[in-house]
Amino acid sequence: MNYNVTSIKSNETYDWLLNKHYAKRQCSISFSFGLFDNKILIGILTIGKPASNPLCIGVCGKENTQFVYELNRLCVNDNLPKNTLSFFVSQCLKMLPKMILVSYADTSMNHNGYIYQATNWIYTGKTKERTDIGKENGKHSRHYDKTIDYKLNRIFRSSKHRYIYFLGSKKDKRLFKQSLKYQVLSYPKGQNKRYDSSYKPTIQTELF
């Protein structure tokens, strides 16, 4: 593989997030990375602060909330060589500061999180199925006009596999692991189902 990974501007991910990733919406972005084939952008990965403060507290306790971030989007072009995705993720992890990373694999999309298993994340089970308030297009309640009453429009939120990854010095990782509030479980297995990611983003080259 003649690929390289580098930080990119958050706005370089927008076309990918809104049109190529299955969620079709933007997310919180604190760090963003691109996978390049020479100067051609062929994948993006974004990391941001979770919207839920109880989640930040629940991972490793209130004293570690400032370190909790979410790997919230990962999207690459189709038909890339085997192990490209694990190469991309592992390279991004090397460029991040001390933190506690959380990421999810959506069971409604038949995702099991094999990329997190391949890069040695900790598996902590599945979130509960639930419903919350949402718009007609399925967007989360935090993304809509707060002056409009959407209470009658409950949106189903599927169960998700939850993975954790610790970044920092050996001591940092040890202390984070000691503070982990979730039970460590065996990796889930199952047949993955790919979604249609054939959309070609309009911005394909790195901006200089």
Side-chain angles (χ1 to χ4, degrees):
M1 295 185 296
N2 187 29
Y3 299 151
N4 63 83
V5 178
T6 186
S7 296
I8 59 175
K9 296 177 181 178
S10 59
N11 63 5
E12 293 180 69
T13 70
Y14 294 167
D15 193 19
W16 290 73
L17 300 181
L18 296 175
N19 298 295
K20 192 174 179 70
H21 191 273
Y22 72 87
K24 298 292 190 294
R25 63 175 182 265
Q26 289 183 207
C27 54
S28 167
I29 300 177
S30 302
F31 304 89
S32 48
F33 300 96
L35 174 66
F36 290 89
D37 184 356
N38 292 315
K39 294 181 181 179
I40 304 299
L41 182 61
I42 60 172
I44 61 100
L45 182 151
T46 64
I47 291 168
K49 287 296 291 183
S52 170
N53 191 54
L55 165 65
C56 294
I57 295 173
V59 179
C60 289
K62 189 173 183 180
E63 68 276 15
N64 289 309
T65 55
Q66 62 179 313
F67 299 113
V68 178
Y69 286 80
E70 181 182 355
L71 194 165
N72 45 27
R73 296 292 188 273
L74 173 60
C75 187
V76 299
N77 283 342
D78 291 332
N79 302 315
L80 296 180
K82 184 180 179 180
N83 299 324
T84 298
L85 205 56
S86 57
F87 166 78
F88 183 27
V89 172
S90 63
Q91 293 302 304
C92 293
L93 294 175
K94 292 177 182 178
M95 291 186 278
L96 290 167
K98 173 182 175 180
M99 67 172 61
I100 300 166
L101 267 180
V102 183
S103 197
Y104 298 93
D106 195 342
T107 61
S108 70
M109 299 297 294
N110 292 106
H111 292 170
N112 294 286
Y114 288 137
I115 180 56
Y116 306 120
Q117 297 178 25
T119 47
N120 298 315
W121 292 54
I122 296 170
Y123 178 64
T124 62
K126 293 194 293 185
T127 64
K128 293 182 179 179
E129 294 180 349
R130 61 187 176 86
T131 62
D132 59 20
I133 304 169
K135 288 178 69 173
E136 291 78 4
N137 60 7
K139 287 188 176 181
H140 195 280
S141 55
R142 63 179 174 271
H143 296 293
Y144 66 62
D145 185 348
K146 303 301 183 184
T147 65
I148 301 175
D149 186 4
Y150 290 102
K151 290 181 180 178
L152 296 179
N153 186 30
R154 305 291 298 186
I155 301 297
F156 173 75
R157 306 296 179 187
S158 57
S159 174
K160 295 177 176 61
H161 294 293
R162 181 179 52 236
Y163 290 86
I164 310 290
Y165 195 91
F166 300 131
L167 288 158
S169 67
K170 288 184 179 180
K171 180 180 179 181
D172 293 332
K173 295 176 184 178
R174 176 172 53 81
L175 292 176
F176 283 154
K177 190 169 185 178
Q178 290 174 354
S179 300
L180 183 63
K181 304 301 181 184
Y182 296 122
Q183 183 180 3
V184 177
L185 301 173
S186 299
Y187 287 149
K189 302 298 179 183
Q191 185 65 41
N192 267 9
K193 179 181 177 182
R194 294 186 62 84
Y195 64 92
D196 180 9
S197 59
S198 58
Y199 175 82
K200 300 297 183 184
T202 55
I203 298 177
Q204 282 284 295
T205 57
E206 185 175 9
L207 304 178
F208 290 99

